[in-house]
Amino acid sequence: MFGFADLVSLVISAFIILPVVVFIRETGYLLVSWIFGVVNPRITIGSGPRIFTLGMFDIRKYYHLYSWFSYDGIKRKSNFAYICIFAGPILMNLSIALLINALLANGFMEETKTFWNRFIFYSFYYVLFDAIPMSTINGKPNSGMIIYEMLRYGKRVDHNTEPFLPSTSQVDEEYEETMKQLKEKVLEKEKEKEAEKKQ
């Protein structure tokens, strides 16, 4: 039976654990890409209007589970570099999960064991769906599929023409365009309300 304690656990999982696991995943891209000289890296946390930017972190207004990594280029391009970059989020979540699991197994963090067990669960969840080669929405390859294609064929073989990871500059342009459209819609609604009041 689903009780109050389960509801609290769900809220903690949805609003604390999952966003942190996703953030750790995105930092996996960042840390590995630094090795290969990434240009203009950014981790975007959330979606919708921008609240603020802090260095390479772009903090958005709406639900922070939706996050992504972007960059404009890599100085040392190679298939090996791309394999490593896409293995980054898998290795990052796996490393953190195994570290926490080892700490729990050795009697550390006993008082918060339930929280950390859930954290490990969601970390492995992302590892599983990142590592097993598959196509996702619109036939886009996940990290595992990209790694598989690079190892087997030495190139990308899916039908998508979009880059594996978005360009930071392109993301900024799309953001500005979206915000412009939203402002225009808000102004239109305000004009309609004013017109209705006058009638």
Side-chain angles (χ1 to χ4, degrees):
M1 183 174 148
F2 190 85
F4 181 73
D6 298 306
L7 179 62
V8 171
S9 296
L10 179 63
V11 169
I12 290 169
S13 294
F15 294 101
I16 298 173
I17 296 173
L18 270 171
V20 170
V21 168
V22 170
F23 176 74
I24 290 169
R25 177 184 182 273
E26 300 307 320
T27 58
Y29 284 119
L30 178 65
L31 293 175
V32 176
S33 65
W34 265 338
I35 297 167
F36 298 99
V38 71
V39 178
N40 195 19
R42 178 174 298 154
I43 294 179
T44 301
I45 302 167
S47 59
R50 183 175 285 145
I51 299 174
F52 65 90
T53 55
L54 180 62
M56 66 184 66
F57 298 101
D58 179 12
I59 313 302
R60 303 289 181 91
K61 185 176 181 181
Y62 303 123
Y63 192 46
H64 46 287
L65 176 60
Y66 182 61
S67 303
W68 68 91
F69 174 68
S70 61
Y71 65 91
D72 280 341
I74 301 173
K75 293 174 185 171
R76 292 181 287 283
K77 290 182 181 180
S78 69
N79 284 353
F80 178 71
Y82 287 116
I83 289 167
C84 291
I85 289 168
F86 284 95
I90 298 167
L91 296 174
M92 190 70 157
N93 274 350
L94 185 62
S95 301
I96 298 292
L98 291 175
L99 174 64
I100 293 169
N101 198 55
L103 290 170
L104 290 174
N106 287 289
F108 292 93
M109 305 183 296
E110 282 292 323
E111 61 281 354
T112 54
K113 189 174 183 176
T114 303
F115 175 88
W116 291 114
N117 279 333
R118 253 188 241 114
F119 191 95
I120 292 166
F121 172 85
Y122 285 110
S123 294
F124 279 121
Y125 173 87
Y126 272 95
V127 167
L128 178 71
F129 283 100
D130 266 342
I132 295 173
M134 65 178 82
S135 295
T136 59
I137 188 166
N138 297 330
K140 289 183 181 178
N142 71 343
S143 294
M145 182 64 85
I146 293 167
I147 293 167
Y148 169 75
E149 288 177 351
M150 286 292 185
L151 288 171
R152 182 165 181 189
Y153 306 109
K155 63 179 182 177
R156 183 176 184 172
V157 296
D158 64 278
H159 67 275
N160 286 284
T161 55
E162 296 174 22
F164 288 138
L165 291 172
S167 158
T168 301
S169 300
Q170 183 183 353
V171 169
D172 282 343
E173 288 172 15
E174 288 172 1
Y175 172 78
E176 294 299 329
E177 183 61 31
T178 302
M179 290 300 104
K180 183 182 172 185
Q181 289 172 1
L182 284 173
K183 285 177 185 175
E184 287 172 0
K185 286 181 182 178
V186 168
L187 287 172
E188 282 177 26
K189 286 184 180 181
E190 286 176 0
K191 286 177 183 176
E192 286 173 8
K193 285 180 182 177
E194 286 176 18
E196 286 174 8
K197 284 178 183 177
K198 288 176 181 178
Q199 290 176 354

